[in-house]
Amino acid sequence: MENNIEHKVVVITGASSGIGEATAVMLAERGAKVVLGARGLNRLEALARRIVGAGGEVAYAQTDVRRREDLTSLVKLALDRYSQLDVLISNAGIGPISPLDDLRVEDWENMIDINIKGVLYGIAAALPVFRKQAFSHFVNTASTAGIVVNPNMAVYAGTKFAVRAISEGLRQEAGDKLRVTIISPGFVRTGFTESMTSPEMKVKIRDSMDKMGISPDAIARAIVFAIEQPAGVDVNEIIVRPTAQT
Ligand SMILES: NC(=O)c1ccc[n+]([C@@H]2O[C@H](COP(=O)([O-])OP(=O)(O)OC[C@H]3O[C@@H](n4cnc5c(N)ncnc54)[C@H](OP(=O)(O)O)[C@@H]3O)[C@@H](O)[C@H]2O)c1
């Protein structure tokens, strides 16, 4: 059945696991051509095989969002392979949270580089392409930590507040052919704790995720909802939390 997702070309960063992976699978099932980026090439290959096995269309490339040229190449891959780019989902992100007193400065720098600069490099790569098209859409993954600040999350929250601010600025400058959506998930059961360098935080967040985390499919469905709207309908922000999350 024809839908507003079929034939769209969608680039997804951080597609090798969690929310990005679930979104790639769901969009491909609905007929989108998905172009996947992450650092883990083996996981991208396995995911691409799964999508092709289910009858979907997929391309992928090893991508580190800390490198501007990697985002440029990923967008170019979409254009070379499918001659257009409809949606960029900037989903890659890490959350090595810790108290500021720990001075885990390398973690702070990584979060800024991946969560903020990665999104900006995505905008830099796709915006000139989008400006030449009649339709285009940025979907940026923020977090409930971009809405409410909690202890141990100062830097992570800072990066997600930045994603929301940048996305809202982009929306205001967008004009009538470009849509901008912010997705703000609460606790989702993914590999998110793997980037955590503080053992105490890792255990604490893993515990919360196990107790109340929702499936990454819940976030993928929200992204699908934003993308499948008619071209003139811009879903600007969606917050999806577990019912149990305060
Ligand atoms: N899970 C949650 O509770 C939660 C809540 C709110 C918001 N979020 C946000 O949701 C997004 C996805 O996270 P997730 O929960 O799905 O966690 P995840 O399973 O750890 O997935 C993160 C993805 O980002 C990729 N990534 C990490 N660093 C990268 C880099 N430098 N360049 C390119 N890709 C990179 C990872 O792949 P590689 O390691 O292969 O590069 C992976 O595919 C993040 O932006 C996160 O902040 C998650």
Side-chain angles (χ1 to χ4, degrees), residues 14 16-19 39-40 63-65 91-93 114 141-143 156 160 185-186 188 190-192:
S16 64
S17 75
I19 293 168
R39 292 165 307 171
T63 306
D64 185 336
V65 299
N91 163 78
I114 295 171
T141 308
S143 169
Y156 179 66
K160 295 303 189 176
V188 184
T190 65
F192 193 58

mmCIF file with all atom_site columns, all heavy atoms in Angstrom, residues 14 16-19 39-40 63-65 91-93 114 141-143 156 160 185-186 188 190-192, ligand 1:
data_model
loop_
_atom_site.group_PDB
_atom_site.id
_atom_site.type_symbol
_atom_site.label_atom_id
_atom_site.label_alt_id
_atom_site.label_comp_id
_atom_site.label_asym_id
_atom_site.label_entity_id
_atom_site.label_seq_id
_atom_site.pdbx_PDB_ins_code
_atom_site.Cartn_x
_atom_site.Cartn_y
_atom_site.Cartn_z
_atom_site.occupancy
_atom_site.B_iso_or_equiv
_atom_site.pdbx_formal_charge
_atom_site.auth_seq_id
_atom_site.auth_comp_id
_atom_site.auth_asym_id
_atom_site.auth_atom_id
_atom_site.pdbx_PDB_model_num
ATOM   1   N N   . GLY A 1 14  ? 23.932 6.680  13.939 1.00 0.00 ? 14  GLY A N   1
ATOM   2   C CA  . GLY A 1 14  ? 23.769 5.846  15.129 1.00 0.00 ? 14  GLY A CA  1
ATOM   3   C C   . GLY A 1 14  ? 22.794 4.717  14.856 1.00 0.00 ? 14  GLY A C   1
ATOM   4   O O   . GLY A 1 14  ? 21.982 4.342  15.705 1.00 0.00 ? 14  GLY A O   1
ATOM   5   N N   . SER A 1 16  ? 23.473 1.568  14.261 1.00 0.00 ? 16  SER A N   1
ATOM   6   C CA  . SER A 1 16  ? 23.951 0.203  14.495 1.00 0.00 ? 16  SER A CA  1
ATOM   7   C C   . SER A 1 16  ? 23.326 -0.462 15.715 1.00 0.00 ? 16  SER A C   1
ATOM   8   O O   . SER A 1 16  ? 23.502 -1.654 15.923 1.00 0.00 ? 16  SER A O   1
ATOM   9   C CB  . SER A 1 16  ? 25.479 0.208  14.645 1.00 0.00 ? 16  SER A CB  1
ATOM   10  O OG  . SER A 1 16  ? 25.847 0.935  15.790 1.00 0.00 ? 16  SER A OG  1
ATOM   11  N N   . SER A 1 17  ? 22.587 0.303  16.538 1.00 0.00 ? 17  SER A N   1
ATOM   12  C CA  . SER A 1 17  ? 21.942 -0.336 17.696 1.00 0.00 ? 17  SER A CA  1
ATOM   13  C C   . SER A 1 17  ? 20.791 0.520  18.194 1.00 0.00 ? 17  SER A C   1
ATOM   14  O O   . SER A 1 17  ? 20.555 1.627  17.697 1.00 0.00 ? 17  SER A O   1
ATOM   15  C CB  . SER A 1 17  ? 22.963 -0.597 18.814 1.00 0.00 ? 17  SER A CB  1
ATOM   16  O OG  . SER A 1 17  ? 23.284 0.610  19.465 1.00 0.00 ? 17  SER A OG  1
ATOM   17  N N   . GLY A 1 18  ? 20.060 -0.009 19.164 1.00 0.00 ? 18  GLY A N   1
ATOM   18  C CA  . GLY A 1 18  ? 19.049 0.748  19.898 1.00 0.00 ? 18  GLY A CA  1
ATOM   19  C C   . GLY A 1 18  ? 18.008 1.430  19.036 1.00 0.00 ? 18  GLY A C   1
ATOM   20  O O   . GLY A 1 18  ? 17.399 0.819  18.144 1.00 0.00 ? 18  GLY A O   1
ATOM   21  N N   . ILE A 1 19  ? 17.797 2.709  19.308 1.00 0.00 ? 19  ILE A N   1
ATOM   22  C CA  . ILE A 1 19  ? 16.733 3.482  18.657 1.00 0.00 ? 19  ILE A CA  1
ATOM   23  C C   . ILE A 1 19  ? 16.986 3.597  17.150 1.00 0.00 ? 19  ILE A C   1
ATOM   24  O O   . ILE A 1 19  ? 16.063 3.461  16.339 1.00 0.00 ? 19  ILE A O   1
ATOM   25  C CB  . ILE A 1 19  ? 16.645 4.889  19.309 1.00 0.00 ? 19  ILE A CB  1
ATOM   26  C CG1 . ILE A 1 19  ? 16.153 4.758  20.757 1.00 0.00 ? 19  ILE A CG1 1
ATOM   27  C CG2 . ILE A 1 19  ? 15.740 5.805  18.501 1.00 0.00 ? 19  ILE A CG2 1
ATOM   28  C CD1 . ILE A 1 19  ? 16.301 6.026  21.593 1.00 0.00 ? 19  ILE A CD1 1
ATOM   29  N N   . ARG A 1 39  ? 29.785 3.826  13.719 1.00 0.00 ? 39  ARG A N   1
ATOM   30  C CA  . ARG A 1 39  ? 31.191 3.421  13.640 1.00 0.00 ? 39  ARG A CA  1
ATOM   31  C C   . ARG A 1 39  ? 31.329 1.916  13.470 1.00 0.00 ? 39  ARG A C   1
ATOM   32  O O   . ARG A 1 39  ? 32.245 1.440  12.810 1.00 0.00 ? 39  ARG A O   1
ATOM   33  C CB  . ARG A 1 39  ? 31.932 3.873  14.909 1.00 0.00 ? 39  ARG A CB  1
ATOM   34  C CG  . ARG A 1 39  ? 32.086 5.388  15.022 1.00 0.00 ? 39  ARG A CG  1
ATOM   35  C CD  . ARG A 1 39  ? 32.466 5.779  16.414 1.00 0.00 ? 39  ARG A CD  1
ATOM   36  N NE  . ARG A 1 39  ? 31.528 5.211  17.376 1.00 0.00 ? 39  ARG A NE  1
ATOM   37  C CZ  . ARG A 1 39  ? 31.676 5.225  18.692 1.00 0.00 ? 39  ARG A CZ  1
ATOM   38  N NH1 . ARG A 1 39  ? 32.747 5.791  19.208 1.00 0.00 ? 39  ARG A NH1 1
ATOM   39  N NH2 . ARG A 1 39  ? 30.781 4.691  19.479 1.00 0.00 ? 39  ARG A NH2 1
ATOM   40  N N   . GLY A 1 40  ? 30.399 1.160  14.044 1.00 0.00 ? 40  GLY A N   1
ATOM   41  C CA  . GLY A 1 40  ? 30.520 -0.306 14.045 1.00 0.00 ? 40  GLY A CA  1
ATOM   42  C C   . GLY A 1 40  ? 30.075 -0.932 12.727 1.00 0.00 ? 40  GLY A C   1
ATOM   43  O O   . GLY A 1 40  ? 28.882 -1.194 12.528 1.00 0.00 ? 40  GLY A O   1
ATOM   44  N N   . THR A 1 63  ? 30.622 5.495  9.755  1.00 0.00 ? 63  THR A N   1
ATOM   45  C CA  . THR A 1 63  ? 30.472 6.940  9.947  1.00 0.00 ? 63  THR A CA  1
ATOM   46  C C   . THR A 1 63  ? 30.776 7.296  11.390 1.00 0.00 ? 63  THR A C   1
ATOM   47  O O   . THR A 1 63  ? 30.182 6.717  12.303 1.00 0.00 ? 63  THR A O   1
ATOM   48  C CB  . THR A 1 63  ? 29.003 7.367  9.648  1.00 0.00 ? 63  THR A CB  1
ATOM   49  O OG1 . THR A 1 63  ? 28.640 6.911  8.346  1.00 0.00 ? 63  THR A OG1 1
ATOM   50  C CG2 . THR A 1 63  ? 28.826 8.866  9.744  1.00 0.00 ? 63  THR A CG2 1
ATOM   51  N N   . ASP A 1 64  ? 31.684 8.236  11.585 1.00 0.00 ? 64  ASP A N   1
ATOM   52  C CA  . ASP A 1 64  ? 31.915 8.791  12.912 1.00 0.00 ? 64  ASP A CA  1
ATOM   53  C C   . ASP A 1 64  ? 31.422 10.234 12.870 1.00 0.00 ? 64  ASP A C   1
ATOM   54  O O   . ASP A 1 64  ? 32.012 11.067 12.173 1.00 0.00 ? 64  ASP A O   1
ATOM   55  C CB  . ASP A 1 64  ? 33.408 8.723  13.259 1.00 0.00 ? 64  ASP A CB  1
ATOM   56  C CG  . ASP A 1 64  ? 33.684 9.170  14.692 1.00 0.00 ? 64  ASP A CG  1
ATOM   57  O OD1 . ASP A 1 64  ? 32.864 9.943  15.250 1.00 0.00 ? 64  ASP A OD1 1
ATOM   58  O OD2 . ASP A 1 64  ? 34.718 8.752  15.251 1.00 0.00 ? 64  ASP A OD2 1
ATOM   59  N N   . VAL A 1 65  ? 30.360 10.533 13.606 1.00 0.00 ? 65  VAL A N   1
ATOM   60  C CA  . VAL A 1 65  ? 29.747 11.872 13.490 1.00 0.00 ? 65  VAL A CA  1
ATOM   61  C C   . VAL A 1 65  ? 30.643 12.979 14.045 1.00 0.00 ? 65  VAL A C   1
ATOM   62  O O   . VAL A 1 65  ? 30.330 14.154 13.890 1.00 0.00 ? 65  VAL A O   1
ATOM   63  C CB  . VAL A 1 65  ? 28.344 11.934 14.145 1.00 0.00 ? 65  VAL A CB  1
ATOM   64  C CG1 . VAL A 1 65  ? 27.380 10.960 13.489 1.00 0.00 ? 65  VAL A CG1 1
ATOM   65  C CG2 . VAL A 1 65  ? 28.414 11.720 15.659 1.00 0.00 ? 65  VAL A CG2 1
ATOM   66  N N   . ASN A 1 91  ? 20.641 10.733 15.059 1.00 0.00 ? 91  ASN A N   1
ATOM   67  C CA  . ASN A 1 91  ? 20.301 9.947  16.256 1.00 0.00 ? 91  ASN A CA  1
ATOM   68  C C   . ASN A 1 91  ? 21.530 9.546  17.072 1.00 0.00 ? 91  ASN A C   1
ATOM   69  O O   . ASN A 1 91  ? 21.416 9.260  18.259 1.00 0.00 ? 91  ASN A O   1
ATOM   70  C CB  . ASN A 1 91  ? 19.523 8.701  15.791 1.00 0.00 ? 91  ASN A CB  1
ATOM   71  C CG  . ASN A 1 91  ? 19.465 7.634  16.852 1.00 0.00 ? 91  ASN A CG  1
ATOM   72  O OD1 . ASN A 1 91  ? 18.690 7.728  17.796 1.00 0.00 ? 91  ASN A OD1 1
ATOM   73  N ND2 . ASN A 1 91  ? 20.308 6.613  16.707 1.00 0.00 ? 91  ASN A ND2 1
ATOM   74  N N   . ALA A 1 92  ? 22.705 9.537  16.449 1.00 0.00 ? 92  ALA A N   1
ATOM   75  C CA  . ALA A 1 92  ? 23.914 9.100  17.167 1.00 0.00 ? 92  ALA A CA  1
ATOM   76  C C   . ALA A 1 92  ? 24.084 9.934  18.432 1.00 0.00 ? 92  ALA A C   1
ATOM   77  O O   . ALA A 1 92  ? 23.962 11.152 18.404 1.00 0.00 ? 92  ALA A O   1
ATOM   78  C CB  . ALA A 1 92  ? 25.136 9.249  16.273 1.00 0.00 ? 92  ALA A CB  1
ATOM   79  N N   . GLY A 1 93  ? 24.354 9.251  19.544 1.00 0.00 ? 93  GLY A N   1
ATOM   80  C CA  . GLY A 1 93  ? 24.540 9.991  20.781 1.00 0.00 ? 93  GLY A CA  1
ATOM   81  C C   . GLY A 1 93  ? 25.093 9.084  21.862 1.00 0.00 ? 93  GLY A C   1
ATOM   82  O O   . GLY A 1 93  ? 24.906 7.866  21.819 1.00 0.00 ? 93  GLY A O   1
ATOM   83  N N   . ILE A 1 114 ? 29.980 14.478 19.949 1.00 0.00 ? 114 ILE A N   1
ATOM   84  C CA  . ILE A 1 114 ? 29.038 13.545 19.295 1.00 0.00 ? 114 ILE A CA  1
ATOM   85  C C   . ILE A 1 114 ? 27.616 14.100 19.319 1.00 0.00 ? 114 ILE A C   1
ATOM   86  O O   . ILE A 1 114 ? 26.947 14.172 18.277 1.00 0.00 ? 114 ILE A O   1
ATOM   87  C CB  . ILE A 1 114 ? 29.118 12.150 19.958 1.00 0.00 ? 114 ILE A CB  1
ATOM   88  C CG1 . ILE A 1 114 ? 30.504 11.542 19.713 1.00 0.00 ? 114 ILE A CG1 1
ATOM   89  C CG2 . ILE A 1 114 ? 28.010 11.224 19.440 1.00 0.00 ? 114 ILE A CG2 1
ATOM   90  C CD1 . ILE A 1 114 ? 30.794 10.266 20.482 1.00 0.00 ? 114 ILE A CD1 1
ATOM   91  N N   . THR A 1 141 ? 17.482 13.635 17.500 1.00 0.00 ? 141 THR A N   1
ATOM   92  C CA  . THR A 1 141 ? 17.171 12.958 18.769 1.00 0.00 ? 141 THR A CA  1
ATOM   93  C C   . THR A 1 141 ? 17.739 13.755 19.933 1.00 0.00 ? 141 THR A C   1
ATOM   94  O O   . THR A 1 141 ? 18.956 13.907 20.056 1.00 0.00 ? 141 THR A O   1
ATOM   95  C CB  . THR A 1 141 ? 17.759 11.530 18.794 1.00 0.00 ? 141 THR A CB  1
ATOM   96  O OG1 . THR A 1 141 ? 17.341 10.855 17.617 1.00 0.00 ? 141 THR A OG1 1
ATOM   97  C CG2 . THR A 1 141 ? 17.252 10.760 20.004 1.00 0.00 ? 141 THR A CG2 1
ATOM   98  N N   . ALA A 1 142 ? 16.848 14.251 20.769 1.00 0.00 ? 142 ALA A N   1
ATOM   99  C CA  . ALA A 1 142 ? 17.263 14.913 22.016 1.00 0.00 ? 142 ALA A CA  1
ATOM   100 C C   . ALA A 1 142 ? 17.047 13.922 23.150 1.00 0.00 ? 142 ALA A C   1
ATOM   101 O O   . ALA A 1 142 ? 17.453 12.766 23.058 1.00 0.00 ? 142 ALA A O   1
ATOM   102 C CB  . ALA A 1 142 ? 16.478 16.205 22.203 1.00 0.00 ? 142 ALA A CB  1
ATOM   103 N N   . SER A 1 143 ? 16.347 14.337 24.202 1.00 0.00 ? 143 SER A N   1
ATOM   104 C CA  . SER A 1 143 ? 16.128 13.468 25.369 1.00 0.00 ? 143 SER A CA  1
ATOM   105 C C   . SER A 1 143 ? 15.235 14.214 26.351 1.00 0.00 ? 143 SER A C   1
ATOM   106 O O   . SER A 1 143 ? 15.166 15.455 26.314 1.00 0.00 ? 143 SER A O   1
ATOM   107 C CB  . SER A 1 143 ? 17.472 13.174 26.041 1.00 0.00 ? 143 SER A CB  1
ATOM   108 O OG  . SER A 1 143 ? 17.293 12.569 27.299 1.00 0.00 ? 143 SER A OG  1
ATOM   109 N N   . TYR A 1 156 ? 25.498 15.972 29.892 1.00 0.00 ? 156 TYR A N   1
ATOM   110 C CA  . TYR A 1 156 ? 24.601 15.291 28.941 1.00 0.00 ? 156 TYR A CA  1
ATOM   111 C C   . TYR A 1 156 ? 23.365 16.149 28.697 1.00 0.00 ? 156 TYR A C   1
ATOM   112 O O   . TYR A 1 156 ? 22.970 16.372 27.540 1.00 0.00 ? 156 TYR A O   1
ATOM   113 C CB  . TYR A 1 156 ? 24.205 13.914 29.493 1.00 0.00 ? 156 TYR A CB  1
ATOM   114 C CG  . TYR A 1 156 ? 23.269 13.152 28.587 1.00 0.00 ? 156 TYR A CG  1
ATOM   115 C CD1 . TYR A 1 156 ? 23.682 12.703 27.339 1.00 0.00 ? 156 TYR A CD1 1
ATOM   116 C CD2 . TYR A 1 156 ? 21.943 12.896 28.959 1.00 0.00 ? 156 TYR A CD2 1
ATOM   117 C CE1 . TYR A 1 156 ? 22.815 12.013 26.499 1.00 0.00 ? 156 TYR A CE1 1
ATOM   118 C CE2 . TYR A 1 156 ? 21.079 12.209 28.130 1.00 0.00 ? 156 TYR A CE2 1
ATOM   119 C CZ  . TYR A 1 156 ? 21.516 11.769 26.896 1.00 0.00 ? 156 TYR A CZ  1
ATOM   120 O OH  . TYR A 1 156 ? 20.658 11.097 26.068 1.00 0.00 ? 156 TYR A OH  1
ATOM   121 N N   . LYS A 1 160 ? 21.810 17.973 25.231 1.00 0.00 ? 160 LYS A N   1
ATOM   122 C CA  . LYS A 1 160 ? 20.462 17.735 24.705 1.00 0.00 ? 160 LYS A CA  1
ATOM   123 C C   . LYS A 1 160 ? 19.624 19.021 24.701 1.00 0.00 ? 160 LYS A C   1
ATOM   124 O O   . LYS A 1 160 ? 18.790 19.213 23.818 1.00 0.00 ? 160 LYS A O   1
ATOM   125 C CB  . LYS A 1 160 ? 19.776 16.599 25.476 1.00 0.00 ? 160 LYS A CB  1
ATOM   126 C CG  . LYS A 1 160 ? 20.479 15.238 25.274 1.00 0.00 ? 160 LYS A CG  1
ATOM   127 C CD  . LYS A 1 160 ? 20.562 14.837 23.788 1.00 0.00 ? 160 LYS A CD  1
ATOM   128 C CE  . LYS A 1 160 ? 21.048 13.423 23.590 1.00 0.00 ? 160 LYS A CE  1
ATOM   129 N NZ  . LYS A 1 160 ? 21.039 12.993 22.181 1.00 0.00 ? 160 LYS A NZ  1
ATOM   130 N N   . PRO A 1 185 ? 13.248 11.116 23.872 1.00 0.00 ? 185 PRO A N   1
ATOM   131 C CA  . PRO A 1 185 ? 12.891 9.901  24.600 1.00 0.00 ? 185 PRO A CA  1
ATOM   132 C C   . PRO A 1 185 ? 13.229 10.008 26.087 1.00 0.00 ? 185 PRO A C   1
ATOM   133 O O   . PRO A 1 185 ? 14.163 10.702 26.483 1.00 0.00 ? 185 PRO A O   1
ATOM   134 C CB  . PRO A 1 185 ? 13.793 8.817  23.963 1.00 0.00 ? 185 PRO A CB  1
ATOM   135 C CG  . PRO A 1 185 ? 14.483 9.478  22.800 1.00 0.00 ? 185 PRO A CG  1
ATOM   136 C CD  . PRO A 1 185 ? 14.468 10.940 23.066 1.00 0.00 ? 185 PRO A CD  1
ATOM   137 N N   . GLY A 1 186 ? 12.456 9.270  26.891 1.00 0.00 ? 186 GLY A N   1
ATOM   138 C CA  . GLY A 1 186 ? 12.839 8.998  28.282 1.00 0.00 ? 186 GLY A CA  1
ATOM   139 C C   . GLY A 1 186 ? 13.659 7.720  28.303 1.00 0.00 ? 186 GLY A C   1
ATOM   140 O O   . GLY A 1 186 ? 14.386 7.428  27.348 1.00 0.00 ? 186 GLY A O   1
ATOM   141 N N   . VAL A 1 188 ? 14.869 4.260  27.596 1.00 0.00 ? 188 VAL A N   1
ATOM   142 C CA  . VAL A 1 188 ? 14.631 3.272  26.543 1.00 0.00 ? 188 VAL A CA  1
ATOM   143 C C   . VAL A 1 188 ? 15.672 2.163  26.719 1.00 0.00 ? 188 VAL A C   1
ATOM   144 O O   . VAL A 1 188 ? 16.853 2.459  26.960 1.00 0.00 ? 188 VAL A O   1
ATOM   145 C CB  . VAL A 1 188 ? 14.782 3.911  25.140 1.00 0.00 ? 188 VAL A CB  1
ATOM   146 C CG1 . VAL A 1 188 ? 14.439 2.902  24.060 1.00 0.00 ? 188 VAL A CG1 1
ATOM   147 C CG2 . VAL A 1 188 ? 13.921 5.152  24.999 1.00 0.00 ? 188 VAL A CG2 1
ATOM   148 N N   . THR A 1 190 ? 18.270 0.113  25.610 1.00 0.00 ? 190 THR A N   1
ATOM   149 C CA  . THR A 1 190 ? 19.212 0.038  24.486 1.00 0.00 ? 190 THR A CA  1
ATOM   150 C C   . THR A 1 190 ? 20.613 -0.211 25.040 1.00 0.00 ? 190 THR A C   1
ATOM   151 O O   . THR A 1 190 ? 20.787 -0.420 26.237 1.00 0.00 ? 190 THR A O   1
ATOM   152 C CB  . THR A 1 190 ? 19.243 1.379  23.707 1.00 0.00 ? 190 THR A CB  1
ATOM   153 O OG1 . THR A 1 190 ? 19.773 2.384  24.586 1.00 0.00 ? 190 THR A OG1 1
ATOM   154 C CG2 . THR A 1 190 ? 17.870 1.796  23.234 1.00 0.00 ? 190 THR A CG2 1
ATOM   155 N N   . GLY A 1 191 ? 21.591 -0.088 24.177 1.00 0.00 ? 191 GLY A N   1
ATOM   156 C CA  . GLY A 1 191 ? 22.983 -0.228 24.606 1.00 0.00 ? 191 GLY A CA  1
ATOM   157 C C   . GLY A 1 191 ? 23.552 1.056  25.180 1.00 0.00 ? 191 GLY A C   1
ATOM   158 O O   . GLY A 1 191 ? 24.780 1.198  25.313 1.00 0.00 ? 191 GLY A O   1
ATOM   159 N N   . PHE A 1 192 ? 22.664 1.998  25.527 1.00 0.00 ? 192 PHE A N   1
ATOM   160 C CA  . PHE A 1 192 ? 23.076 3.343  25.926 1.00 0.00 ? 192 PHE A CA  1
ATOM   161 C C   . PHE A 1 192 ? 24.077 3.377  27.070 1.00 0.00 ? 192 PHE A C   1
ATOM   162 O O   . PHE A 1 192 ? 24.957 4.238  27.114 1.00 0.00 ? 192 PHE A O   1
ATOM   163 C CB  . PHE A 1 192 ? 21.813 4.117  26.319 1.00 0.00 ? 192 PHE A CB  1
ATOM   164 C CG  . PHE A 1 192 ? 21.994 5.584  26.455 1.00 0.00 ? 192 PHE A CG  1
ATOM   165 C CD1 . PHE A 1 192 ? 22.466 6.351  25.404 1.00 0.00 ? 192 PHE A CD1 1
ATOM   166 C CD2 . PHE A 1 192 ? 21.683 6.229  27.653 1.00 0.00 ? 192 PHE A CD2 1
ATOM   167 C CE1 . PHE A 1 192 ? 22.634 7.725  25.538 1.00 0.00 ? 192 PHE A CE1 1
ATOM   168 C CE2 . PHE A 1 192 ? 21.855 7.591  27.793 1.00 0.00 ? 192 PHE A CE2 1
ATOM   169 C CZ  . PHE A 1 192 ? 22.324 8.344  26.734 1.00 0.00 ? 192 PHE A CZ  1
HETATM 170 N N1  . LIG B 2 .   ? 18.279 4.914  25.690 1.00 0.00 ? 1   LIG B N1  1
HETATM 171 C C1  . LIG B 2 .   ? 17.790 5.949  26.338 1.00 0.00 ? 1   LIG B C1  1
HETATM 172 O O1  . LIG B 2 .   ? 17.272 5.800  27.475 1.00 0.00 ? 1   LIG B O1  1
HETATM 173 C C2  . LIG B 2 .   ? 17.796 7.317  25.692 1.00 0.00 ? 1   LIG B C2  1
HETATM 174 C C3  . LIG B 2 .   ? 17.037 8.327  26.300 1.00 0.00 ? 1   LIG B C3  1
HETATM 175 C C4  . LIG B 2 .   ? 17.016 9.592  25.747 1.00 0.00 ? 1   LIG B C4  1
HETATM 176 C C5  . LIG B 2 .   ? 17.728 9.848  24.593 1.00 0.00 ? 1   LIG B C5  1
HETATM 177 N N2  . LIG B 2 .   ? 18.470 8.866  24.018 1.00 0.00 ? 1   LIG B N2  1
HETATM 178 C C6  . LIG B 2 .   ? 19.218 9.209  22.798 1.00 0.00 ? 1   LIG B C6  1
HETATM 179 O O2  . LIG B 2 .   ? 18.896 8.298  21.781 1.00 0.00 ? 1   LIG B O2  1
HETATM 180 C C7  . LIG B 2 .   ? 19.973 8.239  20.834 1.00 0.00 ? 1   LIG B C7  1
HETATM 181 C C8  . LIG B 2 .   ? 20.260 6.780  20.513 1.00 0.00 ? 1   LIG B C8  1
HETATM 182 O O3  . LIG B 2 .   ? 20.723 6.135  21.675 1.00 0.00 ? 1   LIG B O3  1
HETATM 183 P P1  . LIG B 2 .   ? 20.318 4.633  22.065 1.00 0.00 ? 1   LIG B P1  1
HETATM 184 O O4  . LIG B 2 .   ? 19.589 4.689  23.328 1.00 0.00 ? 1   LIG B O4  1
HETATM 185 O O5  . LIG B 2 .   ? 19.728 3.952  20.904 1.00 0.00 ? 1   LIG B O5  1
HETATM 186 O O6  . LIG B 2 .   ? 21.766 4.057  22.449 1.00 0.00 ? 1   LIG B O6  1
HETATM 187 P P2  . LIG B 2 .   ? 22.728 3.013  21.718 1.00 0.00 ? 1   LIG B P2  1
HETATM 188 O O7  . LIG B 2 .   ? 22.033 1.704  21.592 1.00 0.00 ? 1   LIG B O7  1
HETATM 189 O O8  . LIG B 2 .   ? 24.004 3.083  22.486 1.00 0.00 ? 1   LIG B O8  1
HETATM 190 O O9  . LIG B 2 .   ? 22.923 3.628  20.276 1.00 0.00 ? 1   LIG B O9  1
HETATM 191 C C9  . LIG B 2 .   ? 23.759 4.728  20.038 1.00 0.00 ? 1   LIG B C9  1
HETATM 192 C C10 . LIG B 2 .   ? 24.144 4.716  18.595 1.00 0.00 ? 1   LIG B C10 1
HETATM 193 O O10 . LIG B 2 .   ? 25.003 5.842  18.350 1.00 0.00 ? 1   LIG B O10 1
HETATM 194 C C11 . LIG B 2 .   ? 26.148 5.382  17.660 1.00 0.00 ? 1   LIG B C11 1
HETATM 195 N N3  . LIG B 2 .   ? 27.296 6.236  17.902 1.00 0.00 ? 1   LIG B N3  1
HETATM 196 C C12 . LIG B 2 .   ? 27.937 6.474  19.065 1.00 0.00 ? 1   LIG B C12 1
HETATM 197 N N4  . LIG B 2 .   ? 28.978 7.288  18.861 1.00 0.00 ? 1   LIG B N4  1
HETATM 198 C C13 . LIG B 2 .   ? 29.010 7.547  17.526 1.00 0.00 ? 1   LIG B C13 1
HETATM 199 C C14 . LIG B 2 .   ? 29.856 8.297  16.683 1.00 0.00 ? 1   LIG B C14 1
HETATM 200 N N5  . LIG B 2 .   ? 30.918 8.968  17.168 1.00 0.00 ? 1   LIG B N5  1
HETATM 201 N N6  . LIG B 2 .   ? 29.585 8.342  15.367 1.00 0.00 ? 1   LIG B N6  1
HETATM 202 C C15 . LIG B 2 .   ? 28.534 7.670  14.867 1.00 0.00 ? 1   LIG B C15 1
HETATM 203 N N7  . LIG B 2 .   ? 27.705 6.948  15.599 1.00 0.00 ? 1   LIG B N7  1
HETATM 204 C C16 . LIG B 2 .   ? 27.937 6.883  16.921 1.00 0.00 ? 1   LIG B C16 1
HETATM 205 C C17 . LIG B 2 .   ? 26.354 3.939  18.116 1.00 0.00 ? 1   LIG B C17 1
HETATM 206 O O11 . LIG B 2 .   ? 27.029 3.163  17.138 1.00 0.00 ? 1   LIG B O11 1
HETATM 207 P P3  . LIG B 2 .   ? 28.616 2.911  17.089 1.00 0.00 ? 1   LIG B P3  1
HETATM 208 O O12 . LIG B 2 .   ? 29.078 2.702  18.491 1.00 0.00 ? 1   LIG B O12 1
HETATM 209 O O13 . LIG B 2 .   ? 28.690 1.692  16.208 1.00 0.00 ? 1   LIG B O13 1
HETATM 210 O O14 . LIG B 2 .   ? 29.188 4.118  16.423 1.00 0.00 ? 1   LIG B O14 1
HETATM 211 C C18 . LIG B 2 .   ? 24.899 3.465  18.180 1.00 0.00 ? 1   LIG B C18 1
HETATM 212 O O15 . LIG B 2 .   ? 24.453 3.060  16.919 1.00 0.00 ? 1   LIG B O15 1
HETATM 213 C C19 . LIG B 2 .   ? 21.130 8.999  21.468 1.00 0.00 ? 1   LIG B C19 1
HETATM 214 O O16 . LIG B 2 .   ? 21.206 10.295 20.887 1.00 0.00 ? 1   LIG B O16 1
HETATM 215 C C20 . LIG B 2 .   ? 20.720 9.121  22.937 1.00 0.00 ? 1   LIG B C20 1
HETATM 216 O O17 . LIG B 2 .   ? 21.276 10.246 23.548 1.00 0.00 ? 1   LIG B O17 1
HETATM 217 C C21 . LIG B 2 .   ? 18.518 7.600  24.545 1.00 0.00 ? 1   LIG B C21 1
#
